[in-house]
Amino acid sequence: MNTSQVPQFKEFGFDNDKYIKLESEAILERIAKFPKGRLYLEIGGKLVRDPHAARVLPGFKEDNKVKILKGLTVPFEILFCLDYEDILSNRQLSNRSQDYIPSCLNIINSITKSFGFKPKVVINKIRDKNNSILLDAVDVLKVNQLEVFQRFYIKGYPDKTDIILSNDGYGKDDYIPIQKPLVIVTGAASDSGKMSTCLGQMYLDNSRYNINSGYAKYETFPIWNLGLDHPVNLAYEAATADIGDRNVLDTYHLESYGVQSVNYNRDSHSFKIINSLTTQFLPRGNYVREYKSPTDMGISMAGFAIYDDEVVCLASLKEIESRRNWYEELVKQKVGLNSWVKACEGLYQDALKYIKKKKYNLQRDI
């Protein structure tokens, strides 16, 4: 499996124009909630191209995020997050063997080409700012004419809020100067510190400059208004089996609104952190303090653009099968785990059960 490729579908099940319209309107509405500050918008998944979404939602265009952001007519800046430990361990980000920093530079170059300006680079969770590997990485980034900002590991994060919200916590980080009302926060991979970057900037905005900023997350998957057992959401679990993501019911949303919603385990945990910290440093009236659930903090309209559920279910089943095969190949190369394969096998059976329950045509050629 090449995770960057998308098959040529004969049939579609996703209205891309409707999605762009709905998602754009929702982002503009959220920006308007912070008239006296700026919105830090964390982007979940890949920013420039999203081939996974295009594979499970036939009709979805890979470059939707770029089109949506460029079409907002709201000026924005981009922060690109790297992780200190990933730099030291030389984490592999792609299917082929490539060092971490060159992989990051490839992503940064694609962002620069897509938007016409360079993102600012943020290195998160630094334990030793004099580490030689870190210093070499910073030099390479600066040689490529990138601004680099450093944020530091906080002992006791996320529980020690008295430390986090002090000069020994977020106050120790580099402040990233921002001029635009919208800040896109993306990263090299999972766990790159995107949310922490947003919260740290919001804290410094408020404590140093009395800027009343906010946070939201632009996340395509899981699709909150589809069920836990829907093949599209099961395909998301398959795609992230190697990092342990799991879809969960948003119990906060159910308790607050009486509506079932699907989120995933890391965002559920993130909401607890956001709620704990922002209630302590954001002033009353800030819209972030009105979030009652992980679903509230997200902006995801993809579920409203599906018009042929059978097509997307069949596409998702194929995606799960392809992921399983890819993980099997990684196991053979001794860089993968059998648990990833087994997870996909279970997800495939769950997706198949859903499709049969709906009496969809497994022989339909999409």
Side-chain angles (χ1 to χ4, degrees):
M1 175 185 183
N2 185 327
T3 57
S4 66
Q5 292 182 342
V6 178
Q8 293 292 321
F9 289 103
K10 297 176 182 178
E11 297 190 60
F12 299 127
F14 186 84
D15 188 333
N16 203 67
D17 291 338
K18 181 178 181 180
Y19 170 68
I20 288 177
K21 179 178 183 295
L22 292 175
E23 191 74 16
S24 300
E25 290 173 349
I27 293 172
L28 289 172
E29 182 180 343
R30 193 67 59 93
I31 293 170
K33 299 291 186 182
F34 305 97
K36 296 182 180 180
R38 54 183 67 102
L39 175 63
Y40 290 93
L41 183 62
E42 178 185 347
I43 299 285
K46 294 178 174 63
L47 174 58
V48 174
R49 293 181 63 247
D50 193 342
H52 172 79
R55 289 195 297 268
V56 301
L57 299 171
F60 186 103
K61 303 299 183 184
E62 293 179 75
D63 61 348
N64 270 341
K65 289 173 183 171
V66 173
K67 288 179 179 177
I68 287 169
L69 294 174
K70 291 175 73 172
L72 292 176
T73 67
V74 173
F76 59 89
E77 300 181 48
I78 301 175
L79 305 183
F80 186 81
C81 298
L82 282 68
D83 179 76
Y84 172 78
E85 294 295 342
D86 287 347
I87 293 173
L88 268 56
S89 67
N90 195 27
R91 179 179 177 181
Q92 298 293 296
L93 299 182
S94 61
N95 294 348
R96 62 187 184 280
S97 178
Q98 185 178 42
D99 291 342
Y100 181 72
I101 292 300
S103 291
C104 291
L105 286 172
N106 285 343
I107 301 171
I108 290 169
N109 289 337
S110 68
I111 290 173
T112 302
K113 183 177 179 180
S114 296
F115 293 100
F117 61 89
K118 293 179 181 290
K120 294 179 171 69
V121 175
V122 186
I123 302 177
N124 283 296
K125 295 176 281 185
I126 295 173
R127 290 178 180 266
D128 178 8
K129 65 180 180 180
N130 296 314
N131 181 283
S132 60
I133 299 175
L134 171 67
L135 294 175
D136 288 344
V138 171
D139 285 343
V140 171
L141 293 167
K142 288 184 176 180
V143 165
N144 282 270
Q145 299 179 315
L146 294 164
E147 292 184 79
V148 181
F149 299 87
Q150 298 187 346
R151 304 185 66 252
F152 298 92
Y153 172 80
I154 303 172
K155 187 176 181 179
Y157 182 91
D159 300 317
K160 301 290 185 179
T161 57
D162 57 329
I163 297 175
I164 298 167
L165 305 178
S166 75
N167 289 332
D168 292 322
Y170 288 152
K172 188 167 59 176
D173 298 336
D174 288 343
Y175 180 71
I176 307 163
I178 299 294
Q179 305 298 325
K180 307 293 173 58
L182 176 61
V183 187
I184 304 304
V185 183
T186 186
S190 59
D191 296 326
S192 55
K194 298 186 290 292
M195 186 193 74
S196 178
T197 297
C198 296
L199 291 176
Q201 278 291 114
M202 290 162 61
Y203 171 78
L204 294 174
D205 278 351
N206 189 270
S207 61
R208 292 184 184 177
Y209 305 103
N210 199 32
I211 298 172
N212 195 8
S213 297
Y215 167 84
K217 187 172 184 181
Y218 177 176
E219 186 81 79
T220 310
F221 302 106
I223 295 180
W224 68 272
N225 55 343
L226 297 180
L228 274 175
D229 61 343
H230 193 284
V232 169
N233 285 340
L234 297 176
Y236 168 76
E237 276 202 32
T240 56
D242 56 333
I243 59 173
D245 279 358
R246 295 291 181 269
N247 296 332
V248 295
L249 284 177
D250 185 346
T251 55
Y252 295 96
H253 206 74
L254 182 61
E255 182 177 345
S256 298
Y257 305 104
V259 175
Q260 279 203 350
S261 175
V262 172
N263 219 278
Y264 76 108
N265 54 327
R266 281 192 291 130
D267 263 6
S268 183
H269 179 64
S270 296
F271 175 71
K272 295 179 184 178
I273 299 172
I274 291 169
N275 192 45
S276 172
L277 292 176
T278 57
T279 53
Q280 296 188 53
F281 74 82
L282 288 179
R284 294 185 182 278
N286 185 295
Y287 188 69
V288 172
R289 294 185 59 162
E290 296 185 27
Y291 294 162
K292 294 181 173 63
S293 69
T295 301
D296 279 352
M297 72 184 187
I299 304 175
S300 176
M301 307 301 288
F304 298 104
I306 295 173
Y307 65 83
D308 191 326
D309 190 63
E310 182 172 287
V311 167
V312 302
C313 286
L314 294 175
S316 296
L317 187 69
K318 290 182 179 179
E319 171 71 2
I320 296 169
E321 183 176 26
S322 295
R323 286 284 176 177
R324 181 196 62 200
N325 294 340
W326 183 51
Y327 291 143
E328 285 179 342
E329 185 60 34
L330 294 180
V331 169
K332 291 178 183 177
Q333 296 173 18
K334 297 183 179 180
V335 293
L337 300 177
N338 282 314
S339 60
W340 304 348
V341 177
K342 290 180 180 179
C344 286
E345 289 172 349
L347 293 166
Y348 184 89
Q349 292 302 319
D350 290 343
L352 191 62
K353 180 179 178 181
Y354 181 95
I355 290 170
K356 289 180 177 178
K357 180 181 177 181
K358 290 287 186 177
K359 298 182 179 179
Y360 290 157
N361 180 12
L362 281 164
Q363 303 307 315
R364 184 174 177 180
D365 184 10
I366 61 169

